[in-house]
Amino acid sequence: MSKKILLWSITAALAGFLFGFDVVVISGADKKLQALWESSDSFHGWVVMGAALWGTVLGAIFGGFPTNKYGRKKTLIVIGVLFAVSAIASALSNDPFVFAFARFIGGVGVGASTIAAPAYISEIAPAKDRGRLVAMYQFNIVFGILVAFMSNYLLSGIGENAWRWMLGVEAIPAVLYIVFALGVPKSPRWLASKGRTEEAKAVLQIINPDGDVEAQLQEFQSHSEPKDSSETIFIKKYRFPLMLAFLIAFFNQFSGINAFLYYAPRIFEEAGLGESTALLSSVGIGVTNLVFTLLGVFLIDKLGRKTLMYFGSIGYIISLGLVSAAFFLGWTGMAVPIFLFIFIAAHAIGQGAVIWVFISEIFPNHLRASGQAFGSSTHWVLAAIIPSLIPFLFNHPAIGAGVVFLIFTGMMVLQLLFVAFMMPETKGKTLEELEDIILKK
């Protein structure tokens, strides 16, 4: 694999670092902000905590347009700008509505990054390495999560305005990312889809100087130009990849992963841990996530996407079932953190490693951005709704944490059936080969 491809892939994947940091950094300020602005559970959940997620929904729904029209590279640069502006504005906010708007801007960056970064990496990567290169986006997400948890823990004791520093430090990696993103080339497949053949040839020559550039370009073009220019992903022809994208995104969020990441300290406190121990346990979650994501990145091109999803689904069912039992039976101490460490490990090696790789592989070149926008939108609509409901559901006398985690367990049983009977294996094939295979189903 070319060192340049690796460098460009890492650069695009750094959008994932900002994604992970932005999503989780709010967990350290969660209870402080609710007390500061004396917010009700519903207002705190839907507005203060949920604003970023609604921005993410907007970014996911509309992020396919700039990614397709203006290109993957330009979209990645704009994403970095959104993260930087959001971090600074959040840190300087003095009321919940300004804060919510600032977080909303960052959320738009998160949603758009789930389209532009995986699309870019999948389109420059060789087939044999595509899984682990695209999975580096997920690795950077969990690395950002770990850094956010550690940053929150280290900054938690500096005074009343600790939450401002927690949120503001994100501006530093955001600016560095913008500088790096300026140096990557445009996607050759995107250039080919826009008829910019000479630019595509120049990039292909850099990517693979010993390859047959003309043959590669001809293959790209044969799969980039639809017979009907008005084609969309919603026509009957693309029903199967559309269903695959919807279901993998649906099950990703009904594992409860984002609800847990947003409220990790609160969940640990519900289980009987003190505030400091809860924050420290959150750092442990970040480490577990990182280690098992690395394992998933290492295995995804060896064992395949489907095998990793089997591992993850079974791990989800066991761990979530135990967490639910712990809340029902009143187990305290380290029981819940240990079960949730298993949950995070199952997520990292399964859904975490696979989702963005898989969605980036199953749509044809000319509709990849639109297909990813659909999958990402499904993911983020649910990611906005589910965590926003957590404070209400946990505190409701007729529901509580035990019931919530039991529902998540049942959903993972359904995911196991999806993997067994619907999900195709995509490892080791070019994007053009996958288009031919999937559209025949």
Side-chain angles (χ1 to χ4, degrees):
M1 180 172 47
S2 161
K3 289 182 179 177
K4 288 181 179 178
I5 293 176
L6 181 61
L7 179 63
W8 297 336
S9 299
I10 290 171
T11 298
L14 287 174
F17 175 89
L18 295 170
F19 164 173
F21 193 100
D22 191 84
V23 165
V24 165
V25 71
I26 189 70
S27 69
D30 167 24
K31 299 187 83 172
K32 185 69 176 178
L33 291 175
Q34 187 169 11
L36 178 66
W37 289 319
E38 299 177 347
S39 305
S40 67
D41 285 342
S42 293
F43 182 86
H44 183 67
W46 286 97
V47 179
V48 177
M49 296 293 285
L53 286 170
W54 292 113
T56 301
V57 171
L58 187 73
I61 291 172
F62 296 106
F65 173 74
T67 302
N68 185 54
K69 183 172 178 63
Y70 302 110
R72 287 57 163 142
K73 176 181 176 176
K74 288 182 179 177
T75 305
L76 288 171
I77 293 168
V78 171
I79 286 165
V81 173
L82 292 174
F83 280 122
V85 170
S86 172
I88 294 168
S90 297
L92 297 176
S93 299
N94 286 316
D95 73 75
F97 295 102
V98 173
F99 179 85
F101 182 69
R103 292 284 297 158
F104 181 87
I105 293 170
V108 173
V110 171
S113 79
T114 60
I115 299 166
Y120 179 82
I121 300 169
S122 72
E123 291 178 352
I124 65 168
K128 66 183 179 62
D129 299 311
R130 188 177 61 246
R132 63 194 176 103
L133 288 176
V134 179
M136 282 199 304
Y137 175 73
Q138 177 66 20
F139 169 77
N140 274 279
I141 292 172
V142 300
F143 184 50
I145 288 170
L146 174 60
V147 172
F149 277 140
M150 292 179 67
S151 173
N152 286 351
Y153 177 68
L154 294 172
L155 293 170
S156 62
I158 65 171
E160 285 298 305
N161 286 320
W163 66 271
R164 296 186 186 276
W165 289 98
M166 289 176 183
L167 292 156
V169 293
E170 186 185 351
I172 298 170
V175 171
L176 290 173
Y177 166 73
I178 294 166
V179 173
F180 294 148
L182 289 168
V184 303
K186 294 180 173 70
S187 159
R189 282 181 166 94
W190 177 78
L191 289 168
S193 74
K194 297 299 180 184
R196 295 161 64 173
T197 54
E198 292 306 313
E199 291 177 78
K201 284 180 186 178
V203 177
L204 286 170
Q205 191 64 47
I206 298 171
I207 289 175
N208 186 10
D210 300 322
D212 187 338
V213 171
E214 291 293 342
Q216 280 184 286
L217 189 61
Q218 189 172 1
E219 185 180 20
F220 292 172
Q221 289 175 322
S222 69
H223 288 77
S224 293
E225 298 174 7
K227 294 176 183 177
D228 179 359
S229 60
S230 65
E231 263 193 358
T232 73
I233 57 168
F234 298 105
I235 64 175
K236 185 177 179 182
K237 178 180 179 181
Y238 301 114
R239 184 179 297 166
F240 185 61
L242 200 69
M243 192 179 304
L244 292 174
F246 173 81
L247 287 173
I248 197 166
F250 176 89
F251 286 125
N252 182 286
Q253 283 307 299
F254 267 97
S255 69
I257 183 62
N258 268 49
F260 172 62
L261 292 176
Y262 257 59
Y263 294 103
R266 182 182 290 234
I267 291 170
F268 289 143
E269 287 186 51
E270 289 267 343
L273 301 184
E275 182 179 356
S276 179
T277 308
L279 280 170
L280 193 55
S281 293
S282 300
V283 175
I285 289 293
V287 172
T288 304
N289 205 354
L290 188 72
V291 170
F292 280 88
T293 297
L294 274 173
L295 184 59
V297 170
F298 176 74
L299 293 174
I300 194 167
D301 284 320
K302 297 180 183 295
L303 301 182
R305 289 57 158 156
K306 192 163 180 171
T307 302
L308 294 190
M309 286 291 286
Y310 274 124
F311 290 161
S313 298
I314 293 167
Y316 274 146
I317 293 165
I318 293 170
S319 58
L320 287 168
L322 288 170
V323 172
S324 179
F327 279 106
F328 277 124
L329 300 175
W331 300 342
T332 57
M334 290 303 294
V336 169
I338 289 169
F339 300 153
L340 287 171
F341 287 173
I342 298 170
F343 164 73
I344 285 292
H347 174 80
I349 202 170
Q351 269 273 13
V354 172
I355 181 172
W356 305 118
V357 176
F358 187 71
I359 294 176
S360 76
E361 294 175 323
I362 58 177
F363 291 99
N365 290 334
H366 67 286
L367 292 173
R368 180 162 297 109
S370 299
Q372 282 195 241
F374 174 78
S376 294
S377 299
T378 303
H379 175 281
W380 288 114
V381 166
L382 293 172
I385 294 170
I386 296 171
S388 296
L389 289 171
I390 288 298
F392 169 77
L393 294 174
F394 275 20
N395 291 327
H396 194 286
I399 304 173
V403 172
V404 172
F405 282 105
L406 185 61
I407 292 169
F408 291 152
T409 306
M411 286 295 181
M412 293 305 93
V413 173
L414 296 179
Q415 176 179 272
L416 184 59
L417 296 175
F418 159 71
V419 175
F421 297 109
M422 277 192 69
M423 184 180 177
E425 182 54 74
T426 58
K427 74 167 183 173
K429 299 178 178 67
T430 68
L431 296 175
E432 289 71 29
E433 288 171 340
L434 286 173
E435 177 181 342
D436 293 336
I437 291 167
I438 289 174
L439 293 186
K440 286 178 183 176
K441 288 187 176 288

